[in-house]
Amino acid sequence: MEQQTVKLTALSSKGGCGCKIGPADLGQVVRSLPPAKPNPNLLVGLDTSDDAGVYKLNDELAIVQTVDFFTPIVDDPYSFGQIAAANAISDIYAMGGTPLTALNIVAFPITTLDKQILAEIMRGAADKAAEAGVTIVGGHSIDDKEPKFGMAVTGVVHPEQVRTNTGAKLGDKLILTKPIGVGIMTTSLKNNQLSEQEIDRVTKVMSALNRQAAEIMSKYTVHACTDVTGFGLLGHLLEMAKGSKAEFSVHRDRVPVLPRTRELAELGFVPGGTKNNYNHIKADVVFPEELDQLDQWILCDAVTSGGLLIAVAADEAEQLLEQFVHAGIEAALIGEVIGEGQGRIYVS
Ligand code: CO
Ligand code: CO
Ligand code: CO
């Protein structure tokens, strides 16, 4: 059967990044809920804005659970499926867990759009899940005007080896394992501003699993870990700084950014989610005077399926970085924990 040609990203009604509800709005909603009854087996829950929930089954075993789905971020359905799966599975790696099973979450205009497109999305997701060693055990689908795809993923972790985003210690080095600029690049893609080569580059960054980075990280003294997604690099750094009651320093020149991100930001392709992120963090981040608004936005750019952000013991940082680079991971040492405090970031 011949596949219908559609610009998938044009089907997103918002035209934005198809990403999360902003941190300010979401925080308000969550805070308005009655507090849940405490459960001693819930090791990581709603209260710490971490990547996934962790629930202890016994002294040796805890389950890690997460869910993520969004509107098409690229036009190629197979790549969209791969990215959505890599993104959903990533939260398990960010918690130090091993992903095991997944459920597909599907919204699709089944009467108006070629079914072959959905088949391609699901084939991409299945291939990515297989690469991660994840078994897809089922799913749920609804007929919806706007296509959406994602996964609920379950993994396991030893209760004492959970990597949260709250344990960074004074002196730790901060390492990021993928370049940023994804939100600006994909907004530019929707607006037909990218070359084939650039589409390929950003697609590869998003569809790369954090599996290998997580495996390498597991052998080091990592005090805190998260993955960079919708709230952007500074948003996730700030969550980590606040959760760790620490102050971070970040060196802008060391943060890997996809080529032409700045140029496309100058042309106006900065997604609304990125600006929301900036507004949410700016009170707790000190920017140097020479850093203009565009550069500040780039550091807050809403990411889909970003890299791991790791706080590692200072004396192991160089070796960890070396091992990442040796494995072909685009990692960089971007900053350090410079003090104790209520959560503040100094950009230099
Ligand atoms: Co995450
Ligand atoms: Co996060
Ligand atoms: Co997530």
Side-chain angles (χ1 to χ4, degrees):
M1 160 165 70
E2 187 76 350
Q3 191 186 305
Q4 188 185 335
T5 1
V6 218
K7 189 167 164 58
L8 265 192
T9 55
L11 298 171
S12 309
S13 55
K14 290 260 170 57
C17 56
C19 54
K20 309 186 185 192
I21 294 177
D25 292 329
L26 191 62
Q28 240 175 22
V29 173
V30 173
R31 278 191 302 276
S32 75
L33 300 173
K37 203 166 142 245
N39 181 331
N41 292 323
L42 184 63
L43 304 183
V44 181
L46 276 175
D47 50 331
T48 61
S49 51
D50 220 316
D51 300 291
V54 183
Y55 191 90
K56 188 169 101 169
L57 298 178
N58 57 48
D59 289 344
E60 260 85 62
L61 194 66
I63 50 170
V64 191
Q65 291 182 289
T66 185
V67 57
D68 249 306
F69 65 98
F70 42 75
T71 55
I73 187 150
V74 292
D75 289 311
D76 176 51
Y78 180 83
S79 298
F80 173 48
Q82 284 208 308
I83 292 166
N87 176 72
I89 296 166
S90 175
D91 280 329
I92 307 289
Y93 295 130
M95 300 306 292
T98 304
L100 293 181
T101 59
L103 298 162
N104 287 329
I105 298 160
V106 180
F108 196 79
I110 202 73
T111 50
T112 55
L113 207 57
D114 190 343
K115 290 175 190 62
Q116 193 62 31
I117 294 172
L118 178 57
E120 278 297 287
I121 294 172
M122 292 179 72
R123 191 171 67 87
D127 283 356
K128 191 51 71 175
E131 186 189 329
V134 167
T135 304
I136 297 174
V137 295
H140 185 70
S141 56
I142 56 164
D143 190 353
D144 189 358
K145 276 200 295 252
E146 192 184 44
K148 299 171 191 80
F149 184 80
M151 280 177 169
V153 188
T154 300
V156 288
V157 67
H158 192 288
E160 276 149 30
Q161 271 145 31
V162 178
R163 313 274 199 195
T164 69
N165 64 356
T166 62
K169 290 186 167 54
L170 183 63
D172 280 358
K173 301 289 181 191
L174 303 169
I175 292 178
L176 174 69
T177 69
K178 282 188 191 182
I180 62 167
V182 166
I184 290 164
M185 291 307 276
T186 53
T187 301
S188 305
L189 184 156
K190 283 179 190 172
N191 289 282
N192 307 308
Q193 298 292 315
L194 299 192
S195 67
E196 280 304 314
Q197 213 181 353
E198 286 168 337
I199 293 172
D200 200 50
R201 173 86 159 99
V202 70
T203 299
K204 283 208 171 91
V205 167
M206 291 188 289
S207 59
L209 284 176
N210 283 324
R211 178 184 192 167
Q212 202 185 10
E215 279 168 8
I216 292 172
M217 164 182 91
S218 72
K219 293 170 211 115
Y220 289 82
T221 313
V222 168
H223 294 132
C225 177
T226 188
D227 58 347
V228 176
T229 52
F231 298 160
L233 176 62
L234 285 179
H236 288 280
L237 275 166
L238 193 59
E239 279 179 351
M240 191 183 276
K242 286 191 171 185
S244 307
K245 301 211 177 325
E247 298 197 333
F248 290 179
S249 139
V250 173
H251 312 292
R252 181 193 41 132
D253 292 347
R254 296 203 209 146
V255 176
V257 181
L258 286 166
R260 231 160 64 79
T261 297
R262 164 84 202 188
E263 185 190 326
L264 291 158
E266 274 167 17
L267 291 170
F269 300 107
V270 179
T274 295
K275 293 175 185 173
N276 284 345
N277 287 344
Y278 170 77
N279 292 333
H280 187 64
I281 57 96
K282 65 181 177 193
D284 299 309
V285 177
V286 182
F287 292 102
E289 248 171 57
E290 70 271 17
L291 208 65
D292 69 6
Q293 180 66 74
L294 290 177
D295 282 327
Q296 296 181 18
W297 276 336
I298 288 169
L299 290 175
C300 300
D301 192 30
V303 174
T304 298
S305 195
L308 298 180
L309 173 65
I310 299 164
V312 61
D315 57 341
E316 296 179 27
E318 281 304 323
Q319 207 193 332
L320 175 57
L321 186 65
E322 205 177 303
Q323 221 186 327
F324 278 148
V325 173
H326 189 76
I329 294 166
E330 285 182 80
L333 203 162
I334 62 164
E336 52 268 319
V337 183
I338 54 168
E340 288 167 7
Q342 290 313 303
R344 211 168 176 65
I345 295 171
Y346 296 87
V347 179
S348 61

